[in-house]
Amino acid sequence: MQAIANELPQAPGWIPDGVSERGATALRASLASGSAGQALFSAYLAFDSEDEAHADRAIALLDDGGGSSGVDEALLSLLSRSPWTGEYDLINGLTGLGICALEGLPRPTARACPEQVVERLAERAEESAEGAAWFSRPETLPGYQREAYPSGLYNLGMSHGAAGVVALLGAACRAGLATTGPLLEKAVSWLLARRQAEGSGFCFTHFHSPLGRARPSRLAWCYGDAGTATALWIAARASGDPGWERVALDVALSAAARPPEAARAVDAGLCHGAAGLAQIFGRLFQATGEERLGAAARLWLGRALEHRTPGQGAGGFRSWSAGLSNVEDWRDDRGFLEGSAGVGLALLAAVSPVEPEWDRALLISAR
């Protein structure tokens, strides 16, 4: 962690090829890959160590990102647009805006924002006998997905799909939004209808399409059983449904039992790497007391440390990810979602008495 803190300010920020200057400016300030995510890491170092130098750096990074004044008003203006024509997911759309809106509570000016998010999600939902689903139109898909699913698809993941919606609706229900319950019940019903048969080796695919064949999923926050178990657990605890809680625990234990060589987690990052899995299993262990989940958290924490190569990246960590061209490669990434700042936060969470509330940004936990 100290190596990350020392080297993060000097590490180059990664901007994907083909991004406009305006887009690059936004990325440099963002939570996922820019100064806001690095500020989060510095802030938690300050909470843990009481070192004012870390606090000063966090404040400086937030100043570089432009501050956060007027967030409630801007969100409410954006969310008042009906019908919603943008994306619905956590990374790019309504679900992510919903996380931001929930973090504004209990400010009176923030109360209307999560209510508007739920209304817009309800407008976008496709309802059937199985429940409520959110369709990803082909024009919103990256090229490799559009080639495989030219008519569009139903995304099941936390980052871009149904699991993220379920987790957000659960968090909103837990925050006291009374109108959330019916939509949450339908969303969970549809997601559970996508569960694979026992013996498949995994519980949830990345995508659902009536024309597509179920393919084994990776083990990660962004896609697959670990992130989905978290979403179902948040929904279960918010609703008080014991059946959902049993399913969430079953999915979590299935994920914990998967051999690391079958997980396809090749780096240490939060999004699709070992640190993200350590954080998920650690949180689920704290919530359930199930030792198999605690063992999985320790295993993946060790795997994250095994990915460290001193002298590379920030603090020895590099990210395996794809740019706009969808060509995967190793990159020096100092960000929160895929890079060193996120790895540092997960490592700190494992040893610090400070509650790692930062993981609400990924809906790994809720208020």
Side-chain angles (χ1 to χ4, degrees):
M1 290 179 292
Q2 192 57 51
I4 295 174
N6 292 341
E7 297 175 22
L8 201 59
Q10 288 77 43
W14 174 65
I15 303 296
D17 296 336
V19 173
S20 67
E21 184 54 38
R22 181 178 179 183
T25 299
L27 286 173
R28 292 188 189 103
S30 70
L31 175 64
S33 56
S35 56
Q38 296 166 52
L40 199 58
F41 174 56
S42 293
Y44 273 86
L45 282 175
F47 294 149
D48 180 67
S49 66
E50 299 184 359
D51 186 336
E52 291 187 4
H54 293 308
D56 291 342
R57 173 156 174 76
I59 293 169
L61 285 163
L62 287 177
D63 288 341
D64 288 344
S68 57
S69 60
V71 169
D72 296 343
E73 293 78 6
L75 270 178
L76 197 55
S77 174
L78 181 64
L79 293 168
S80 64
R81 301 172 186 174
S82 177
W84 181 263
T85 58
E87 298 183 47
Y88 71 90
D89 66 331
L90 189 156
I91 298 295
N92 299 314
L94 277 171
T95 301
L97 292 175
I99 296 172
C100 185
L102 288 174
E103 288 302 307
L105 299 175
R107 292 195 307 267
T109 56
R111 184 70 189 180
C113 292
E115 294 173 347
Q116 288 289 305
V117 169
V118 174
E119 286 187 23
R120 300 291 85 80
L121 282 169
E123 290 173 353
R124 279 289 306 272
E126 295 182 359
E127 295 198 17
S128 67
E130 290 184 320
W134 286 263
F135 185 68
S136 296
R137 300 183 297 270
E139 63 270 20
T140 68
L141 302 177
Y144 76 98
Q145 290 180 13
R146 197 161 52 245
E147 289 177 7
Y149 302 91
S151 299
L153 54 80
Y154 294 93
N155 194 305
L156 304 189
M158 278 285 276
S159 57
H160 293 289
V165 176
V166 164
L168 175 71
L169 292 174
C173 184
R174 188 164 175 157
L177 271 69
T179 59
T180 307
L183 187 59
L184 173 61
E185 184 174 352
K186 294 173 184 177
V188 172
S189 174
W190 187 89
L191 182 60
L192 292 182
R194 310 277 78 77
R195 188 177 181 183
Q196 299 299 301
E198 190 172 347
S200 301
F202 62 102
C203 297
F204 292 92
T205 61
H206 290 183
F207 315 118
H208 168 70
S209 168
L211 304 178
R213 179 177 62 86
R215 301 175 182 175
S217 64
R218 74 194 314 165
L219 196 62
W221 167 79
C222 53
Y223 287 105
D225 296 345
T228 304
T230 299
L232 291 170
W233 184 262
I234 290 174
R237 281 301 174 94
S239 67
D241 190 308
W244 293 358
E245 190 169 312
R246 285 193 297 272
V247 173
L249 183 56
D250 286 346
V251 174
L253 290 173
S254 173
R258 191 182 303 188
E261 56 272 17
R264 291 159 48 197
V266 299
D267 68 4
L270 292 177
C271 181
H272 46 258
L277 291 171
Q279 186 68 17
I280 286 172
F281 287 124
R283 280 299 203 177
L284 289 170
F285 167 64
Q286 291 169 352
T288 65
E290 171 55 66
E291 177 51 37
R292 285 172 287 180
L293 299 176
R298 294 188 291 273
L299 182 150
W300 285 106
L301 195 65
R303 300 284 288 198
L305 291 171
E306 288 173 7
H307 286 297
R308 182 170 184 259
T309 303
Q312 295 189 1
F317 294 99
R318 304 189 80 200
S319 169
W320 178 260
S321 58
L324 295 181
S325 61
N326 291 304
V327 176
E328 292 189 309
D329 199 359
W330 289 103
R331 309 179 191 281
D332 292 342
D333 188 331
R334 58 186 179 183
F336 166 74
L337 185 60
E338 298 184 8
S340 297
V343 175
L345 281 165
L347 295 176
L348 185 63
V351 298
S352 172
V354 178
E355 178 76 10
E357 295 178 320
W358 56 265
D359 65 6
R360 294 202 303 256
L362 300 177
L363 291 172
I364 293 174
S365 69
R367 287 178 183 269

